[in-house]
Amino acid sequence: YNLTGELFMKRLSLYIVLVLVGLIFFGATEVSAQKKMKKEAVIWPAEDIKWEQLKGGPPGVMIANLWGNYEKGAFGAFIKFPAGFKTPLHTHSSDGKAVVVSGTLIETPEGGTEKRCGPGSYLSIPSVVKHVSAAGTDSPCIFLWEQSGKFDLKPVESPKEKK
């Protein structure tokens, strides 16, 4: 044994012990944080759901945020279009999915055929798809909308407007 090898082994042992202590401390902190988080059901009867004007949206378009934050990132929310409402041709920055809860949601992809979607209908709209969204004229339309990023509506010019 030489002194350099012995010193190296002592330092290596010390580093290993410090790393293990750090991992144990981190694990204990993580377990403690998980215990502090409440794991409980979220149950909102319809009358308890809070509706508000969609920030930056057209007048009359309402939103009830259910999870996440539609202004900051991924979220799920109910959106309500007034009867007869219609968006301009648009896209979104993130993919979105919808399930119609009530009324009729009318979706028309650019150059495609209008699809009338009643309660229980499902839609998946990639961010790059240009489309028009509307509500039927007979009643408001409520749909569950989930988006992988914050909400936005990016209007685009239709071919008719590009003269």
Side-chain angles (χ1 to χ4, degrees):
Y1 249 148
N2 68 27
L3 192 53
T4 309
E6 197 172 304
L7 185 58
F8 172 77
M9 290 304 291
K10 283 183 180 180
R11 283 189 178 172
L12 180 60
S13 297
L14 178 63
Y15 291 137
I16 290 172
V17 168
L18 288 174
V19 167
L20 289 174
V21 168
L23 288 173
I24 290 168
F25 176 74
F26 176 75
T29 303
E30 185 68 22
V31 169
S32 174
Q34 286 178 358
K35 284 182 182 176
K36 287 180 184 175
M37 286 176 46
K38 291 184 180 182
K39 297 199 184 233
E40 54 189 50
V42 175
I43 302 170
W44 287 335
E47 61 272 9
D48 293 343
I49 292 175
K50 308 258 187 287
W51 289 92
E52 64 181 30
Q53 171 68 39
L54 176 66
K55 289 185 177 86
V61 175
M62 305 295 286
I63 189 164
N65 210 77
L66 301 173
W67 66 85
N69 183 326
Y70 78 94
E71 294 181 272
K72 296 181 180 179
F75 72 97
F78 286 130
I79 295 180
K80 184 189 306 183
F81 286 170
F85 172 78
K86 185 176 183 179
T87 67
L89 184 66
H90 67 279
T91 62
H92 301 279
S93 295
S94 303
D95 297 346
K97 296 177 180 135
V99 175
V100 179
V101 175
S102 65
T104 302
L105 181 61
I106 304 166
E107 284 294 320
T108 310
E110 183 180 42
T113 305
E114 173 182 290
K115 299 278 186 183
R116 299 180 71 80
C117 303
S121 298
Y122 169 76
L123 301 88
S124 177
I125 303 176
S127 62
V128 297
V129 172
K130 297 175 186 174
H131 63 282
V132 172
S133 302
T137 56
D138 55 336
S139 66
C141 176
I142 296 175
F143 55 97
L144 174 66
W145 180 255
E146 181 181 17
Q147 194 165 316
S148 57
K150 72 178 186 175
F151 180 82
D152 64 355
L153 185 142
K154 301 176 356 184
V156 295
E157 288 184 54
S158 70
K160 295 174 193 167
E161 295 172 337
K162 290 184 180 179
K163 296 180 183 179

mmCIF file of all heavy atoms in Angstrom, residues 54 63 65-79 90-99 123-128 131 133 143-154:
data_model
loop_
_atom_site.group_PDB
_atom_site.id
_atom_site.type_symbol
_atom_site.label_atom_id
_atom_site.label_comp_id
_atom_site.label_asym_id
_atom_site.label_seq_id
_atom_site.Cartn_x
_atom_site.Cartn_y
_atom_site.Cartn_z
ATOM 1 N N LEU A 54 -64.102 34.432 -21.863
ATOM 2 C CA LEU A 54 -62.799 33.966 -22.343
ATOM 3 C C LEU A 54 -61.895 35.168 -22.548
ATOM 4 O O LEU A 54 -62.203 36.040 -23.378
ATOM 5 C CB LEU A 54 -62.961 33.183 -23.645
ATOM 6 C CG LEU A 54 -61.685 32.696 -24.323
ATOM 7 C CD1 LEU A 54 -60.971 31.650 -23.457
ATOM 8 C CD2 LEU A 54 -61.994 32.113 -25.689
ATOM 9 N N ILE A 63 -65.786 30.523 -20.719
ATOM 10 C CA ILE A 63 -64.919 29.394 -20.405
ATOM 11 C C ILE A 63 -65.061 29.047 -18.924
ATOM 12 O O ILE A 63 -65.263 29.934 -18.089
ATOM 13 C CB ILE A 63 -63.444 29.694 -20.767
ATOM 14 C CG1 ILE A 63 -62.585 28.427 -20.652
ATOM 15 C CG2 ILE A 63 -62.875 30.828 -19.931
ATOM 16 C CD1 ILE A 63 -61.226 28.530 -21.337
ATOM 17 N N ASN A 65 -62.650 26.905 -16.617
ATOM 18 C CA ASN A 65 -61.391 26.155 -16.520
ATOM 19 C C ASN A 65 -61.567 25.006 -15.528
ATOM 20 O O ASN A 65 -62.027 25.204 -14.411
ATOM 21 C CB ASN A 65 -60.279 27.093 -16.047
ATOM 22 C CG ASN A 65 -58.932 26.687 -16.591
ATOM 23 O OD1 ASN A 65 -58.650 26.937 -17.746
ATOM 24 N ND2 ASN A 65 -58.118 26.071 -15.770
ATOM 25 N N LEU A 66 -61.213 23.785 -15.937
ATOM 26 C CA LEU A 66 -61.377 22.618 -15.080
ATOM 27 C C LEU A 66 -60.044 22.149 -14.491
ATOM 28 O O LEU A 66 -59.978 21.782 -13.330
ATOM 29 C CB LEU A 66 -62.029 21.479 -15.862
ATOM 30 C CG LEU A 66 -63.411 21.810 -16.440
ATOM 31 C CD1 LEU A 66 -63.905 20.687 -17.329
ATOM 32 C CD2 LEU A 66 -64.401 22.097 -15.322
ATOM 33 N N TRP A 67 -58.996 22.122 -15.306
ATOM 34 C CA TRP A 67 -57.662 21.771 -14.818
ATOM 35 C C TRP A 67 -56.642 22.524 -15.643
ATOM 36 O O TRP A 67 -56.917 22.972 -16.743
ATOM 37 C CB TRP A 67 -57.399 20.262 -14.855
ATOM 38 C CG TRP A 67 -57.348 19.658 -16.222
ATOM 39 C CD1 TRP A 67 -56.264 19.590 -17.059
ATOM 40 C CD2 TRP A 67 -58.421 19.030 -16.933
ATOM 41 N NE1 TRP A 67 -56.610 18.973 -18.242
ATOM 42 C CE2 TRP A 67 -57.926 18.612 -18.182
ATOM 43 C CE3 TRP A 67 -59.758 18.781 -16.632
ATOM 44 C CZ2 TRP A 67 -58.711 17.963 -19.123
ATOM 45 C CZ3 TRP A 67 -60.535 18.130 -17.577
ATOM 46 C CH2 TRP A 67 -60.004 17.729 -18.802
ATOM 47 N N GLY A 68 -55.446 22.700 -15.064
ATOM 48 C CA GLY A 68 -54.416 23.496 -15.729
ATOM 49 C C GLY A 68 -54.805 24.964 -15.711
ATOM 50 O O GLY A 68 -55.645 25.394 -14.920
ATOM 51 N N ASN A 69 -54.201 25.728 -16.609
ATOM 52 C CA ASN A 69 -54.488 27.156 -16.709
ATOM 53 C C ASN A 69 -54.450 27.531 -18.184
ATOM 54 O O ASN A 69 -53.377 27.534 -18.795
ATOM 55 C CB ASN A 69 -53.465 27.967 -15.916
ATOM 56 C CG ASN A 69 -53.757 29.447 -15.921
ATOM 57 O OD1 ASN A 69 -54.253 29.995 -16.903
ATOM 58 N ND2 ASN A 69 -53.427 30.106 -14.829
ATOM 59 N N TYR A 70 -55.596 27.842 -18.748
ATOM 60 C CA TYR A 70 -55.680 28.103 -20.187
ATOM 61 C C TYR A 70 -54.867 29.310 -20.646
ATOM 62 O O TYR A 70 -54.564 29.444 -21.827
ATOM 63 C CB TYR A 70 -57.136 28.220 -20.646
ATOM 64 C CG TYR A 70 -57.820 29.529 -20.354
ATOM 65 C CD1 TYR A 70 -57.850 30.538 -21.311
ATOM 66 C CD2 TYR A 70 -58.464 29.764 -19.145
ATOM 67 C CE1 TYR A 70 -58.498 31.738 -21.064
ATOM 68 C CE2 TYR A 70 -59.114 30.954 -18.891
ATOM 69 C CZ TYR A 70 -59.125 31.939 -19.846
ATOM 70 O OH TYR A 70 -59.764 33.127 -19.610
ATOM 71 N N GLU A 71 -54.479 30.172 -19.723
ATOM 72 C CA GLU A 71 -53.672 31.336 -20.092
ATOM 73 C C GLU A 71 -52.172 31.039 -20.059
ATOM 74 O O GLU A 71 -51.389 31.819 -20.582
ATOM 75 C CB GLU A 71 -53.954 32.500 -19.149
ATOM 76 C CG GLU A 71 -55.363 33.042 -19.272
ATOM 77 C CD GLU A 71 -55.592 34.203 -18.336
ATOM 78 O OE1 GLU A 71 -55.977 33.962 -17.175
ATOM 79 O OE2 GLU A 71 -55.364 35.340 -18.783
ATOM 80 N N LYS A 72 -51.784 29.931 -19.438
ATOM 81 C CA LYS A 72 -50.357 29.664 -19.242
ATOM 82 C C LYS A 72 -49.841 28.377 -19.861
ATOM 83 O O LYS A 72 -48.660 28.271 -20.155
ATOM 84 C CB LYS A 72 -50.042 29.636 -17.743
ATOM 85 C CG LYS A 72 -50.279 30.970 -17.072
ATOM 86 C CD LYS A 72 -49.932 30.919 -15.616
ATOM 87 C CE LYS A 72 -50.171 32.277 -14.972
ATOM 88 N NZ LYS A 72 -49.867 32.274 -13.555
ATOM 89 N N GLY A 73 -50.683 27.361 -20.019
ATOM 90 C CA GLY A 73 -50.177 26.084 -20.521
ATOM 91 C C GLY A 73 -51.297 25.084 -20.706
ATOM 92 O O GLY A 73 -52.462 25.458 -20.846
ATOM 93 N N ALA A 74 -50.925 23.817 -20.683
ATOM 94 C CA ALA A 74 -51.890 22.741 -20.911
ATOM 95 C C ALA A 74 -53.084 22.891 -19.974
ATOM 96 O O ALA A 74 -52.933 23.280 -18.817
ATOM 97 C CB ALA A 74 -51.213 21.393 -20.711
ATOM 98 N N PHE A 75 -54.284 22.570 -20.489
ATOM 99 C CA PHE A 75 -55.502 22.767 -19.699
ATOM 100 C C PHE A 75 -56.643 21.938 -20.256
ATOM 101 O O PHE A 75 -56.578 21.406 -21.370
ATOM 102 C CB PHE A 75 -55.905 24.250 -19.698
ATOM 103 C CG PHE A 75 -56.459 24.712 -21.023
ATOM 104 C CD1 PHE A 75 -57.833 24.757 -21.236
ATOM 105 C CD2 PHE A 75 -55.614 25.059 -22.062
ATOM 106 C CE1 PHE A 75 -58.344 25.154 -22.463
ATOM 107 C CE2 PHE A 75 -56.114 25.461 -23.286
ATOM 108 C CZ PHE A 75 -57.488 25.506 -23.498
ATOM 109 N N GLY A 76 -57.692 21.864 -19.476
ATOM 110 C CA GLY A 76 -58.963 21.312 -19.901
ATOM 111 C C GLY A 76 -60.040 22.260 -19.413
ATOM 112 O O GLY A 76 -59.983 22.736 -18.275
ATOM 113 N N ALA A 77 -61.024 22.562 -20.244
ATOM 114 C CA ALA A 77 -62.060 23.527 -19.868
ATOM 115 C C ALA A 77 -63.328 23.277 -20.666
ATOM 116 O O ALA A 77 -63.282 22.727 -21.765
ATOM 117 C CB ALA A 77 -61.574 24.952 -20.137
ATOM 118 N N PHE A 78 -64.439 23.701 -20.093
ATOM 119 C CA PHE A 78 -65.660 23.795 -20.872
ATOM 120 C C PHE A 78 -65.625 25.133 -21.579
ATOM 121 O O PHE A 78 -65.227 26.146 -20.991
ATOM 122 C CB PHE A 78 -66.905 23.762 -19.975
ATOM 123 C CG PHE A 78 -67.230 22.416 -19.408
ATOM 124 C CD1 PHE A 78 -67.471 22.277 -18.055
ATOM 125 C CD2 PHE A 78 -67.314 21.289 -20.216
ATOM 126 C CE1 PHE A 78 -67.783 21.051 -17.506
ATOM 127 C CE2 PHE A 78 -67.626 20.055 -19.684
ATOM 128 C CZ PHE A 78 -67.856 19.931 -18.323
ATOM 129 N N ILE A 79 -66.029 25.150 -22.843
ATOM 130 C CA ILE A 79 -66.158 26.397 -23.594
ATOM 131 C C ILE A 79 -67.600 26.475 -24.079
ATOM 132 O O ILE A 79 -68.178 25.461 -24.480
ATOM 133 C CB ILE A 79 -65.151 26.464 -24.772
ATOM 134 C CG1 ILE A 79 -63.723 26.495 -24.223
ATOM 135 C CG2 ILE A 79 -65.431 27.690 -25.652
ATOM 136 C CD1 ILE A 79 -62.624 26.569 -25.251
ATOM 137 N N HIS A 90 -59.086 29.830 -38.641
ATOM 138 C CA HIS A 90 -57.990 29.972 -37.681
ATOM 139 C C HIS A 90 -57.247 28.654 -37.462
ATOM 140 O O HIS A 90 -57.686 27.598 -37.923
ATOM 141 C CB HIS A 90 -58.528 30.482 -36.331
ATOM 142 C CG HIS A 90 -59.415 29.501 -35.628
ATOM 143 N ND1 HIS A 90 -60.739 29.341 -35.949
ATOM 144 C CD2 HIS A 90 -59.166 28.615 -34.629
ATOM 145 C CE1 HIS A 90 -61.275 28.415 -35.175
ATOM 146 N NE2 HIS A 90 -60.339 27.948 -34.360
ATOM 147 N N THR A 91 -56.148 28.763 -36.716
ATOM 148 C CA THR A 91 -55.400 27.608 -36.212
ATOM 149 C C THR A 91 -55.148 27.865 -34.731
ATOM 150 O O THR A 91 -55.534 28.903 -34.196
ATOM 151 C CB THR A 91 -54.041 27.427 -36.932
ATOM 152 O OG1 THR A 91 -53.229 28.584 -36.676
ATOM 153 C CG2 THR A 91 -54.199 27.212 -38.423
ATOM 154 N N HIS A 92 -54.480 26.915 -34.089
ATOM 155 C CA HIS A 92 -54.056 27.055 -32.694
ATOM 156 C C HIS A 92 -52.569 26.716 -32.627
ATOM 157 O O HIS A 92 -52.041 26.054 -33.514
ATOM 158 C CB HIS A 92 -54.841 26.091 -31.792
ATOM 159 C CG HIS A 92 -56.314 26.300 -31.840
ATOM 160 N ND1 HIS A 92 -56.946 27.275 -31.113
ATOM 161 C CD2 HIS A 92 -57.296 25.664 -32.532
ATOM 162 C CE1 HIS A 92 -58.245 27.223 -31.345
ATOM 163 N NE2 HIS A 92 -58.487 26.251 -32.218
ATOM 164 N N SER A 93 -51.892 27.135 -31.561
ATOM 165 C CA SER A 93 -50.469 26.814 -31.394
ATOM 166 C C SER A 93 -50.249 25.377 -30.937
ATOM 167 O O SER A 93 -49.172 24.832 -31.110
ATOM 168 C CB SER A 93 -49.814 27.755 -30.379
ATOM 169 O OG SER A 93 -49.815 29.065 -30.882
ATOM 170 N N SER A 94 -51.270 24.774 -30.332
ATOM 171 C CA SER A 94 -51.160 23.403 -29.824
ATOM 172 C C SER A 94 -52.340 22.577 -30.319
ATOM 173 O O SER A 94 -53.403 23.118 -30.603
ATOM 174 C CB SER A 94 -51.188 23.402 -28.286
ATOM 175 O OG SER A 94 -50.167 24.199 -27.764
ATOM 176 N N ASP A 95 -52.130 21.269 -30.388
ATOM 177 C CA ASP A 95 -53.213 20.366 -30.751
ATOM 178 C C ASP A 95 -54.322 20.444 -29.712
ATOM 179 O O ASP A 95 -54.057 20.683 -28.525
ATOM 180 C CB ASP A 95 -52.713 18.922 -30.814
ATOM 181 C CG ASP A 95 -51.643 18.712 -31.882
ATOM 182 O OD1 ASP A 95 -51.477 19.596 -32.749
ATOM 183 O OD2 ASP A 95 -50.987 17.656 -31.851
ATOM 184 N N GLY A 96 -55.553 20.231 -30.141
ATOM 185 C CA GLY A 96 -56.682 20.265 -29.219
ATOM 186 C C GLY A 96 -57.642 19.121 -29.469
ATOM 187 O O GLY A 96 -57.690 18.558 -30.567
ATOM 188 N N LYS A 97 -58.390 18.776 -28.429
ATOM 189 C CA LYS A 97 -59.403 17.723 -28.515
ATOM 190 C C LYS A 97 -60.672 18.256 -27.874
ATOM 191 O O LYS A 97 -60.617 19.001 -26.899
ATOM 192 C CB LYS A 97 -58.939 16.473 -27.776
ATOM 193 C CG LYS A 97 -57.719 15.843 -28.396
ATOM 194 C CD LYS A 97 -57.257 14.648 -27.596
ATOM 195 C CE LYS A 97 -56.034 14.077 -28.276
ATOM 196 N NZ LYS A 97 -54.985 13.758 -27.390
ATOM 197 N N ALA A 98 -61.813 17.843 -28.415
ATOM 198 C CA ALA A 98 -63.093 18.321 -27.892
ATOM 199 C C ALA A 98 -64.106 17.187 -27.835
ATOM 200 O O ALA A 98 -64.080 16.261 -28.644
ATOM 201 C CB ALA A 98 -63.632 19.447 -28.767
ATOM 202 N N VAL A 99 -65.013 17.308 -26.866
ATOM 203 C CA VAL A 99 -66.194 16.457 -26.775
ATOM 204 C C VAL A 99 -67.369 17.405 -26.580
ATOM 205 O O VAL A 99 -67.361 18.238 -25.666
ATOM 206 C CB VAL A 99 -66.101 15.464 -25.586
ATOM 207 C CG1 VAL A 99 -67.403 14.686 -25.447
ATOM 208 C CG2 VAL A 99 -64.922 14.517 -25.759
ATOM 209 N N LEU A 123 -63.839 15.423 -31.349
ATOM 210 C CA LEU A 123 -63.015 16.060 -32.377
ATOM 211 C C LEU A 123 -61.569 16.081 -31.906
ATOM 212 O O LEU A 123 -61.307 16.284 -30.715
ATOM 213 C CB LEU A 123 -63.449 17.518 -32.600
ATOM 214 C CG LEU A 123 -64.871 17.786 -33.036
ATOM 215 C CD1 LEU A 123 -65.781 17.910 -31.847
ATOM 216 C CD2 LEU A 123 -64.917 19.049 -33.844
ATOM 217 N N SER A 124 -60.645 15.895 -32.809
ATOM 218 C CA SER A 124 -59.216 16.047 -32.543
ATOM 219 C C SER A 124 -58.687 16.957 -33.641
ATOM 220 O O SER A 124 -58.764 16.617 -34.821
ATOM 221 C CB SER A 124 -58.507 14.690 -32.576
ATOM 222 O OG SER A 124 -57.118 14.866 -32.376
ATOM 223 N N ILE A 125 -58.161 18.118 -33.235
ATOM 224 C CA ILE A 125 -57.766 19.119 -34.230
ATOM 225 C C ILE A 125 -56.285 19.447 -34.070
ATOM 226 O O ILE A 125 -55.894 20.104 -33.097
ATOM 227 C CB ILE A 125 -58.624 20.391 -34.100
ATOM 228 C CG1 ILE A 125 -60.106 20.012 -34.249
ATOM 229 C CG2 ILE A 125 -58.206 21.435 -35.124
ATOM 230 C CD1 ILE A 125 -61.079 21.133 -34.052
ATOM 231 N N PRO A 126 -55.443 18.965 -34.992
ATOM 232 C CA PRO A 126 -54.013 19.309 -34.934
ATOM 233 C C PRO A 126 -53.823 20.823 -35.078
ATOM 234 O O PRO A 126 -54.614 21.502 -35.738
ATOM 235 C CB PRO A 126 -53.415 18.562 -36.123
ATOM 236 C CG PRO A 126 -54.381 17.449 -36.414
ATOM 237 C CD PRO A 126 -55.737 18.031 -36.083
ATOM 238 N N SER A 127 -52.782 21.328 -34.471
ATOM 239 C CA SER A 127 -52.535 22.777 -34.442
ATOM 240 C C SER A 127 -52.441 23.398 -35.828
ATOM 241 O O SER A 127 -52.782 24.564 -36.002
ATOM 242 C CB SER A 127 -51.268 23.077 -33.653
ATOM 243 O OG SER A 127 -50.142 22.481 -34.286
ATOM 244 N N VAL A 128 -51.993 22.653 -36.811
ATOM 245 C CA VAL A 128 -51.767 23.213 -38.149
ATOM 246 C C VAL A 128 -53.022 23.229 -39.024
ATOM 247 O O VAL A 128 -53.003 23.803 -40.113
ATOM 248 C CB VAL A 128 -50.650 22.438 -38.889
ATOM 249 C CG1 VAL A 128 -49.327 22.582 -38.149
ATOM 250 C CG2 VAL A 128 -51.020 20.972 -39.052
ATOM 251 N N HIS A 131 -59.323 25.949 -39.710
ATOM 252 C CA HIS A 131 -60.728 25.570 -39.606
ATOM 253 C C HIS A 131 -61.576 26.720 -39.078
ATOM 254 O O HIS A 131 -61.057 27.674 -38.524
ATOM 255 C CB HIS A 131 -60.886 24.343 -38.696
ATOM 256 C CG HIS A 131 -60.461 24.590 -37.285
ATOM 257 N ND1 HIS A 131 -59.133 24.620 -36.889
ATOM 258 C CD2 HIS A 131 -61.169 24.848 -36.168
ATOM 259 C CE1 HIS A 131 -59.054 24.868 -35.596
ATOM 260 N NE2 HIS A 131 -60.278 25.018 -35.125
ATOM 261 N N SER A 133 -64.914 27.294 -36.559
ATOM 262 C CA SER A 133 -65.744 26.670 -35.526
ATOM 263 C C SER A 133 -66.978 27.541 -35.341
ATOM 264 O O SER A 133 -66.884 28.768 -35.346
ATOM 265 C CB SER A 133 -64.990 26.585 -34.197
ATOM 266 O OG SER A 133 -63.785 25.867 -34.344
ATOM 267 N N PHE A 143 -68.788 22.631 -25.063
ATOM 268 C CA PHE A 143 -67.924 21.485 -25.346
ATOM 269 C C PHE A 143 -66.746 21.486 -24.384
ATOM 270 O O PHE A 143 -66.322 22.530 -23.901
ATOM 271 C CB PHE A 143 -67.455 21.474 -26.808
ATOM 272 C CG PHE A 143 -66.772 22.726 -27.273
ATOM 273 C CD1 PHE A 143 -65.390 22.828 -27.289
ATOM 274 C CD2 PHE A 143 -67.515 23.814 -27.725
ATOM 275 C CE1 PHE A 143 -64.758 23.985 -27.736
ATOM 276 C CE2 PHE A 143 -66.896 24.971 -28.170
ATOM 277 C CZ PHE A 143 -65.513 25.061 -28.179
ATOM 278 N N LEU A 144 -66.260 20.292 -24.097
ATOM 279 C CA LEU A 144 -65.058 20.130 -23.296
ATOM 280 C C LEU A 144 -63.885 20.260 -24.250
ATOM 281 O O LEU A 144 -63.833 19.564 -25.266
ATOM 282 C CB LEU A 144 -65.040 18.754 -22.625
ATOM 283 C CG LEU A 144 -63.754 18.404 -21.875
ATOM 284 C CD1 LEU A 144 -63.564 19.313 -20.672
ATOM 285 C CD2 LEU A 144 -63.780 16.950 -21.436
ATOM 286 N N TRP A 145 -62.957 21.163 -23.972
ATOM 287 C CA TRP A 145 -61.788 21.398 -24.830
ATOM 288 C C TRP A 145 -60.545 21.138 -24.012
ATOM 289 O O TRP A 145 -60.392 21.668 -22.916
ATOM 290 C CB TRP A 145 -61.805 22.830 -25.355
ATOM 291 C CG TRP A 145 -60.643 23.187 -26.249
ATOM 292 C CD1 TRP A 145 -59.569 23.962 -25.929
ATOM 293 C CD2 TRP A 145 -60.445 22.789 -27.603
ATOM 294 N NE1 TRP A 145 -58.726 24.077 -27.005
ATOM 295 C CE2 TRP A 145 -59.229 23.354 -28.046
ATOM 296 C CE3 TRP A 145 -61.168 21.995 -28.486
ATOM 297 C CZ2 TRP A 145 -58.728 23.167 -29.333
ATOM 298 C CZ3 TRP A 145 -60.670 21.816 -29.774
ATOM 299 C CH2 TRP A 145 -59.470 22.392 -30.180
ATOM 300 N N GLU A 146 -59.657 20.311 -24.541
ATOM 301 C CA GLU A 146 -58.373 20.037 -23.907
ATOM 302 C C GLU A 146 -57.287 20.406 -24.896
ATOM 303 O O GLU A 146 -57.347 20.027 -26.064
ATOM 304 C CB GLU A 146 -58.265 18.551 -23.542
ATOM 305 C CG GLU A 146 -56.966 18.213 -22.866
ATOM 306 C CD GLU A 146 -56.839 16.746 -22.526
ATOM 307 O OE1 GLU A 146 -57.594 15.919 -23.072
ATOM 308 O OE2 GLU A 146 -55.967 16.418 -21.717
ATOM 309 N N GLN A 147 -56.316 21.170 -24.427
ATOM 310 C CA GLN A 147 -55.239 21.620 -25.306
ATOM 311 C C GLN A 147 -53.910 21.400 -24.598
ATOM 312 O O GLN A 147 -53.802 21.626 -23.400
ATOM 313 C CB GLN A 147 -55.451 23.096 -25.665
ATOM 314 C CG GLN A 147 -54.599 23.562 -26.821
ATOM 315 C CD GLN A 147 -55.092 24.893 -27.381
ATOM 316 O OE1 GLN A 147 -56.277 25.113 -27.561
ATOM 317 N NE2 GLN A 147 -54.154 25.782 -27.663
ATOM 318 N N SER A 148 -52.889 20.980 -25.343
ATOM 319 C CA SER A 148 -51.580 20.655 -24.762
ATOM 320 C C SER A 148 -50.728 21.887 -24.464
ATOM 321 O O SER A 148 -49.658 21.769 -23.881
ATOM 322 C CB SER A 148 -50.819 19.699 -25.687
ATOM 323 O OG SER A 148 -50.676 20.271 -26.970
ATOM 324 N N GLY A 149 -51.192 23.056 -24.829
ATOM 325 C CA GLY A 149 -50.507 24.316 -24.530
ATOM 326 C C GLY A 149 -51.556 25.361 -24.205
ATOM 327 O O GLY A 149 -52.756 25.066 -24.212
ATOM 328 N N LYS A 150 -51.124 26.590 -23.942
ATOM 329 C CA LYS A 150 -52.100 27.633 -23.588
ATOM 330 C C LYS A 150 -53.057 27.893 -24.744
ATOM 331 O O LYS A 150 -52.733 27.662 -25.906
ATOM 332 C CB LYS A 150 -51.388 28.907 -23.145
ATOM 333 C CG LYS A 150 -50.704 29.678 -24.248
ATOM 334 C CD LYS A 150 -50.077 30.940 -23.689
ATOM 335 C CE LYS A 150 -49.517 31.767 -24.833
ATOM 336 N NZ LYS A 150 -49.016 33.047 -24.371
ATOM 337 N N PHE A 151 -54.235 28.409 -24.396
ATOM 338 C CA PHE A 151 -55.248 28.671 -25.405
ATOM 339 C C PHE A 151 -54.859 29.860 -26.269
ATOM 340 O O PHE A 151 -54.394 30.880 -25.784
ATOM 341 C CB PHE A 151 -56.615 28.964 -24.764
ATOM 342 C CG PHE A 151 -57.668 29.226 -25.805
ATOM 343 C CD1 PHE A 151 -58.294 28.174 -26.435
ATOM 344 C CD2 PHE A 151 -57.990 30.513 -26.188
ATOM 345 C CE1 PHE A 151 -59.247 28.404 -27.418
ATOM 346 C CE2 PHE A 151 -58.937 30.755 -27.166
ATOM 347 C CZ PHE A 151 -59.566 29.689 -27.780
ATOM 348 N N ASP A 152 -55.069 29.710 -27.554
ATOM 349 C CA ASP A 152 -54.955 30.825 -28.487
ATOM 350 C C ASP A 152 -55.786 30.505 -29.709
ATOM 351 O O ASP A 152 -56.170 29.367 -29.934
ATOM 352 C CB ASP A 152 -53.495 31.120 -28.871
ATOM 353 C CG ASP A 152 -52.830 29.989 -29.633
ATOM 354 O OD1 ASP A 152 -53.445 28.914 -29.798
ATOM 355 O OD2 ASP A 152 -51.683 30.154 -30.063
ATOM 356 N N LEU A 153 -56.112 31.527 -30.436
ATOM 357 C CA LEU A 153 -56.837 31.402 -31.688
ATOM 358 C C LEU A 153 -56.111 32.318 -32.657
ATOM 359 O O LEU A 153 -56.084 33.528 -32.433
ATOM 360 C CB LEU A 153 -58.298 31.827 -31.494
ATOM 361 C CG LEU A 153 -59.204 31.637 -32.701
ATOM 362 C CD1 LEU A 153 -60.575 31.180 -32.237
ATOM 363 C CD2 LEU A 153 -59.305 32.884 -33.527
ATOM 364 N N LYS A 154 -55.477 31.736 -33.671
ATOM 365 C CA LYS A 154 -54.670 32.509 -34.613
ATOM 366 C C LYS A 154 -55.420 32.619 -35.947
ATOM 367 O O LYS A 154 -55.391 31.678 -36.732
ATOM 368 C CB LYS A 154 -53.301 31.845 -34.800
ATOM 369 C CG LYS A 154 -52.539 31.735 -33.490
ATOM 370 C CD LYS A 154 -51.204 31.014 -33.514
ATOM 371 C CE LYS A 154 -50.738 30.380 -34.746
ATOM 372 N NZ LYS A 154 -49.499 29.638 -34.648
#
